[in-house]
Structures are given as structure tokens and as C-alpha cells.
Amino acid sequence: ALLRVNVLHPGANHELLHFYENFQRPALGWVYAENYMKSSPGLPHAFHMQAHLAMRLGRWKLTSDRSSRAIELQREYHRRENVKPREDWQYSHHLETLLTSLVHDGRFAEARAIKKECQDAGFQLREPFVRLHLAERDYAAAAAEIEQIALGGRRGKRAANTRGDKQTAAYYSAILHLKQNDTVRARPHLEVLQQAARESRNDRRLQNRLQEVQGMYLCLTGEGAAGLKLLAKVVERTKDDYSHHAWGNGAWYMEAWGVAALAINKLDVAEEAFHEALAHDPGSVRAALGMQIVCERQSRTEEIERFAALAQRCWSRADAGHLEMERAALRGEKVSRPTPPSKDVSRR
């Protein structure tokens, strides 16, 4: 009714955006996300809210910049009204959303600047921090954040006041070592997850994480068929899970399935996995690169060029050298991280 009076009514557009998000029809809510920004060009939350839909829809081209604009407006508000960041209850969520988007797009220097801003404000977003460092393949930094998860210091709380999360630390530790093909160091963390899963059989996220880690482990220890079967089960269980797809997670398990299959040269499985990943997240750079390598190994020349171009589009604004590093890693080559830029991007 309000939109019949004023198509740019901010409250009506905001509420309809949330309605279609919760109703699991994010595409139908997109017009309201656009109109909310038009209605309130000085409001941080208006530029943040589009990400609730964009990440589910795979519309990555603009969402990072819009989330960046939300943070710029929020900083201005803090300065103008003398508000401390920790007094702004939306700020942590807005920062985490931007961080997630930047990591997805390979914009790691900017993501590190946002991480520092989180830390300066006292927001310890441990899992997003770990995912940042795993994605950029800075394994020492990832290990340091995982240690903090084990000791304590989760989202929005001081480390000294928070109990450690051994289960989450075990999951990311296992992923960290498996990404480096170190099954010996991954094994104890896998055992922690197995024990936790026996004690919490109804914890779906834990069961998914266990099967992901166990599947990757089996593929690296000579039991590829069993490993890929486990990974396929996780994909089947989560591919229609709307809550799992929030915040760019849609292709997470599909990428793991494809990468594991590629590593043991099961190209038919890898192709299925990477196509699934691209269907659920059109911006999945690892799926595009994975398909490029599948086509290379099968001499599918025209498709090699097409998937290479897709990967370039996915990471068109990624930090220099990271696309090449990711492609080399998926080929099984030894890689070294590019030298990070010295330019300050904290207020870009």
C-alpha cells in the first residue's frame, strides 16, 4: 500500500526486501533492494541490504562496492556523531558482509584492511578471518586465527571472556593441512571431528564438515572412490539448503568435491562438481579454473579458452598474481604467494 503512494518509500522497500529474502525468493526482492538504495542514498544499511540477496543470486559484480559504500557512510556517521564503532550494533555485521564479499572476489588486500578495521573495533570475526587467509593461501596467518578459535575470542567478544571452540578449530585445522596435502597433520583433527560427530549426531553442520574433511582425506590417502562418494553426499544434502547458500556459501562443498576429484584425476566427477558449483555460484573462480584444467587434460581447446575467460571475469578485480597462483595450485604445481601490495587500501 505504501508503494502505491511512493514507490521509493524506504520502509516499505526495506521490509519487502526482507520478506522475499525470508520467503526464499531473493530474485523477487531485487527491485526492492535497488529502490531502497535509491530512497536512502545516505543510509549505510540501504547499501548493505542488497548483499542479503546478491550473494544468494550470484550477483557479485556490484555487491562488494555497494557494501564498501555502506562502510564509508558508516565511518562518516561515526565521525560526525562521535559514535564509537562498538556502539553501532549494525557495524560488525556490515563489516563481515563486506569482508566475505571481498574474499570471494579475490580482493585480499582490501579484505585485510577490513579485517584490521574489525580488530581495531574489537570485532573478532574468527571464521571469516580464517576463510580470508585460506582463500589467499596465507597458511601461517590462517593457523594463527585457528589458534585463537581454539583458545577463545569469537565474534564480537573479547578473547579473555570467551571459551575456546575446539570443534571449529579442528575443522579449519584439518582443512588447512589438507590444502597443503599434509594428511599426517590433518589426521588428529579429523579424529576430533569424528568423536564430536558421534556425540552430536543431530548437528547437521558438524556432520557436513566431518564428511567434507573425511572425503578430502580419503582422496589424498588412496581411497578416492570412497572420498568422492562422501563429498557427493554433502553436496546432495546441502545443494537445496537455502540457509547454507547465504553469504556466498552456495558452491563451498561443490568446489571441495571438484578439487578433490581433480587432484586424483577423476575428470568426469570433477566436471560434474564444477558445473554444479557454477550453477549455484556463477562467480565461483575455482570452478571456472577447475573446468579449464579438466578441458586441458582432455584437449578440449575451445572450452579451455572459454573457462579461462570466465575465471578472469570472476576475479577481474582480484589482487595481482592470485588468479595465476590459484590456477597453478589446482594443477598440482608448487606455488608461492604473490608479494602483497604496499599501497594502503584501508580507506579505498
PDB file of all heavy atoms in Angstrom, residues 98-113:
ATOM      1  N   LEU A  98      30.967  -7.277   4.041  1.00  0.00           N
ATOM      2  CA  LEU A  98      31.939  -6.748   3.075  1.00  0.00           C
ATOM      3  C   LEU A  98      33.164  -7.646   3.005  1.00  0.00           C
ATOM      4  O   LEU A  98      33.661  -7.946   1.909  1.00  0.00           O
ATOM      5  CB  LEU A  98      32.341  -5.324   3.466  1.00  0.00           C
ATOM      6  CG  LEU A  98      33.469  -4.697   2.628  1.00  0.00           C
ATOM      7  CD1 LEU A  98      33.131  -4.698   1.139  1.00  0.00           C
ATOM      8  CD2 LEU A  98      33.765  -3.286   3.115  1.00  0.00           C
ATOM      9  N   LEU A  99      33.670  -8.085   4.137  1.00  0.00           N
ATOM     10  CA  LEU A  99      34.840  -8.963   4.165  1.00  0.00           C
ATOM     11  C   LEU A  99      34.583 -10.226   3.352  1.00  0.00           C
ATOM     12  O   LEU A  99      35.412 -10.643   2.530  1.00  0.00           O
ATOM     13  CB  LEU A  99      35.179  -9.315   5.613  1.00  0.00           C
ATOM     14  CG  LEU A  99      36.336 -10.291   5.838  1.00  0.00           C
ATOM     15  CD1 LEU A  99      37.647  -9.699   5.346  1.00  0.00           C
ATOM     16  CD2 LEU A  99      36.448 -10.658   7.314  1.00  0.00           C
ATOM     17  N   THR A 100      33.429 -10.848   3.554  1.00  0.00           N
ATOM     18  CA  THR A 100      33.080 -12.069   2.835  1.00  0.00           C
ATOM     19  C   THR A 100      33.048 -11.834   1.333  1.00  0.00           C
ATOM     20  O   THR A 100      33.552 -12.640   0.538  1.00  0.00           O
ATOM     21  CB  THR A 100      31.707 -12.575   3.309  1.00  0.00           C
ATOM     22  OG1 THR A 100      31.773 -12.859   4.717  1.00  0.00           O
ATOM     23  CG2 THR A 100      31.284 -13.827   2.558  1.00  0.00           C
ATOM     24  N   SER A 101      32.493 -10.710   0.928  1.00  0.00           N
ATOM     25  CA  SER A 101      32.374 -10.391  -0.494  1.00  0.00           C
ATOM     26  C   SER A 101      33.744 -10.128  -1.134  1.00  0.00           C
ATOM     27  O   SER A 101      34.035 -10.596  -2.239  1.00  0.00           O
ATOM     28  CB  SER A 101      31.467  -9.173  -0.656  1.00  0.00           C
ATOM     29  OG  SER A 101      31.170  -8.934  -2.007  1.00  0.00           O
ATOM     30  N   LEU A 102      34.583  -9.394  -0.432  1.00  0.00           N
ATOM     31  CA  LEU A 102      35.918  -9.106  -0.954  1.00  0.00           C
ATOM     32  C   LEU A 102      36.740 -10.388  -1.109  1.00  0.00           C
ATOM     33  O   LEU A 102      37.470 -10.557  -2.093  1.00  0.00           O
ATOM     34  CB  LEU A 102      36.641  -8.127  -0.032  1.00  0.00           C
ATOM     35  CG  LEU A 102      36.085  -6.694  -0.001  1.00  0.00           C
ATOM     36  CD1 LEU A 102      36.756  -5.900   1.123  1.00  0.00           C
ATOM     37  CD2 LEU A 102      36.275  -5.988  -1.335  1.00  0.00           C
ATOM     38  N   VAL A 103      36.638 -11.287  -0.139  1.00  0.00           N
ATOM     39  CA  VAL A 103      37.354 -12.566  -0.224  1.00  0.00           C
ATOM     40  C   VAL A 103      36.872 -13.361  -1.432  1.00  0.00           C
ATOM     41  O   VAL A 103      37.669 -13.938  -2.179  1.00  0.00           O
ATOM     42  CB  VAL A 103      37.187 -13.367   1.079  1.00  0.00           C
ATOM     43  CG1 VAL A 103      37.712 -14.798   0.916  1.00  0.00           C
ATOM     44  CG2 VAL A 103      37.903 -12.670   2.235  1.00  0.00           C
ATOM     45  N   HIS A 104      35.566 -13.400  -1.630  1.00  0.00           N
ATOM     46  CA  HIS A 104      35.016 -14.126  -2.778  1.00  0.00           C
ATOM     47  C   HIS A 104      35.592 -13.606  -4.078  1.00  0.00           C
ATOM     48  O   HIS A 104      35.866 -14.375  -5.012  1.00  0.00           O
ATOM     49  CB  HIS A 104      33.495 -13.987  -2.788  1.00  0.00           C
ATOM     50  CG  HIS A 104      32.836 -14.689  -3.935  1.00  0.00           C
ATOM     51  ND1 HIS A 104      32.754 -14.141  -5.202  1.00  0.00           N
ATOM     52  CD2 HIS A 104      32.228 -15.916  -4.018  1.00  0.00           C
ATOM     53  CE1 HIS A 104      32.137 -14.985  -6.000  1.00  0.00           C
ATOM     54  NE2 HIS A 104      31.800 -16.063  -5.313  1.00  0.00           N
ATOM     55  N   ASP A 105      35.812 -12.285  -4.160  1.00  0.00           N
ATOM     56  CA  ASP A 105      36.288 -11.663  -5.391  1.00  0.00           C
ATOM     57  C   ASP A 105      37.808 -11.606  -5.500  1.00  0.00           C
ATOM     58  O   ASP A 105      38.340 -11.009  -6.442  1.00  0.00           O
ATOM     59  CB  ASP A 105      35.719 -10.244  -5.514  1.00  0.00           C
ATOM     60  CG  ASP A 105      34.220 -10.250  -5.772  1.00  0.00           C
ATOM     61  OD1 ASP A 105      33.674 -11.314  -6.101  1.00  0.00           O
ATOM     62  OD2 ASP A 105      33.591  -9.183  -5.641  1.00  0.00           O
ATOM     63  N   GLY A 106      38.515 -12.187  -4.540  1.00  0.00           N
ATOM     64  CA  GLY A 106      39.976 -12.202  -4.606  1.00  0.00           C
ATOM     65  C   GLY A 106      40.620 -10.865  -4.301  1.00  0.00           C
ATOM     66  O   GLY A 106      41.794 -10.659  -4.603  1.00  0.00           O
ATOM     67  N   ARG A 107      39.886  -9.970  -3.673  1.00  0.00           N
ATOM     68  CA  ARG A 107      40.400  -8.638  -3.339  1.00  0.00           C
ATOM     69  C   ARG A 107      40.971  -8.688  -1.911  1.00  0.00           C
ATOM     70  O   ARG A 107      40.451  -8.103  -0.971  1.00  0.00           O
ATOM     71  CB  ARG A 107      39.279  -7.607  -3.487  1.00  0.00           C
ATOM     72  CG  ARG A 107      38.818  -7.476  -4.920  1.00  0.00           C
ATOM     73  CD  ARG A 107      37.462  -6.817  -5.092  1.00  0.00           C
ATOM     74  NE  ARG A 107      37.453  -5.417  -4.664  1.00  0.00           N
ATOM     75  CZ  ARG A 107      36.394  -4.621  -4.812  1.00  0.00           C
ATOM     76  NH1 ARG A 107      35.287  -5.092  -5.394  1.00  0.00           N
ATOM     77  NH2 ARG A 107      36.443  -3.370  -4.403  1.00  0.00           N
ATOM     78  N   PHE A 108      42.072  -9.396  -1.785  1.00  0.00           N
ATOM     79  CA  PHE A 108      42.566  -9.761  -0.462  1.00  0.00           C
ATOM     80  C   PHE A 108      43.192  -8.589   0.301  1.00  0.00           C
ATOM     81  O   PHE A 108      43.080  -8.528   1.527  1.00  0.00           O
ATOM     82  CB  PHE A 108      43.565 -10.919  -0.591  1.00  0.00           C
ATOM     83  CG  PHE A 108      42.962 -12.160  -1.183  1.00  0.00           C
ATOM     84  CD1 PHE A 108      43.504 -12.736  -2.332  1.00  0.00           C
ATOM     85  CD2 PHE A 108      41.844 -12.747  -0.621  1.00  0.00           C
ATOM     86  CE1 PHE A 108      42.953 -13.873  -2.888  1.00  0.00           C
ATOM     87  CE2 PHE A 108      41.279 -13.893  -1.170  1.00  0.00           C
ATOM     88  CZ  PHE A 108      41.838 -14.455  -2.302  1.00  0.00           C
ATOM     89  N   ALA A 109      43.857  -7.692  -0.392  1.00  0.00           N
ATOM     90  CA  ALA A 109      44.443  -6.546   0.300  1.00  0.00           C
ATOM     91  C   ALA A 109      43.352  -5.701   0.943  1.00  0.00           C
ATOM     92  O   ALA A 109      43.474  -5.262   2.090  1.00  0.00           O
ATOM     93  CB  ALA A 109      45.277  -5.708  -0.668  1.00  0.00           C
ATOM     94  N   GLU A 110      42.269  -5.471   0.210  1.00  0.00           N
ATOM     95  CA  GLU A 110      41.142  -4.733   0.776  1.00  0.00           C
ATOM     96  C   GLU A 110      40.507  -5.514   1.930  1.00  0.00           C
ATOM     97  O   GLU A 110      40.099  -4.926   2.936  1.00  0.00           O
ATOM     98  CB  GLU A 110      40.108  -4.463  -0.306  1.00  0.00           C
ATOM     99  CG  GLU A 110      40.562  -3.494  -1.380  1.00  0.00           C
ATOM    100  CD  GLU A 110      39.565  -3.411  -2.513  1.00  0.00           C
ATOM    101  OE1 GLU A 110      38.586  -2.662  -2.369  1.00  0.00           O
ATOM    102  OE2 GLU A 110      39.774  -4.108  -3.535  1.00  0.00           O
ATOM    103  N   ALA A 111      40.416  -6.831   1.772  1.00  0.00           N
ATOM    104  CA  ALA A 111      39.841  -7.655   2.834  1.00  0.00           C
ATOM    105  C   ALA A 111      40.687  -7.594   4.105  1.00  0.00           C
ATOM    106  O   ALA A 111      40.157  -7.547   5.224  1.00  0.00           O
ATOM    107  CB  ALA A 111      39.706  -9.103   2.356  1.00  0.00           C
ATOM    108  N   ARG A 112      42.009  -7.587   3.935  1.00  0.00           N
ATOM    109  CA  ARG A 112      42.882  -7.479   5.110  1.00  0.00           C
ATOM    110  C   ARG A 112      42.699  -6.124   5.816  1.00  0.00           C
ATOM    111  O   ARG A 112      42.765  -6.046   7.041  1.00  0.00           O
ATOM    112  CB  ARG A 112      44.346  -7.656   4.700  1.00  0.00           C
ATOM    113  CG  ARG A 112      44.762  -9.118   4.540  1.00  0.00           C
ATOM    114  CD  ARG A 112      46.213  -9.225   4.091  1.00  0.00           C
ATOM    115  NE  ARG A 112      46.700 -10.595   4.145  1.00  0.00           N
ATOM    116  CZ  ARG A 112      47.430 -11.101   5.122  1.00  0.00           C
ATOM    117  NH1 ARG A 112      47.752 -10.347   6.155  1.00  0.00           N
ATOM    118  NH2 ARG A 112      47.835 -12.356   5.086  1.00  0.00           N
ATOM    119  N   ALA A 113      42.469  -5.072   5.034  1.00  0.00           N
ATOM    120  CA  ALA A 113      42.223  -3.761   5.633  1.00  0.00           C
ATOM    121  C   ALA A 113      40.931  -3.770   6.438  1.00  0.00           C
ATOM    122  O   ALA A 113      40.857  -3.187   7.531  1.00  0.00           O
ATOM    123  CB  ALA A 113      42.174  -2.691   4.549  1.00  0.00           C
TER     124      ALA A 113
END
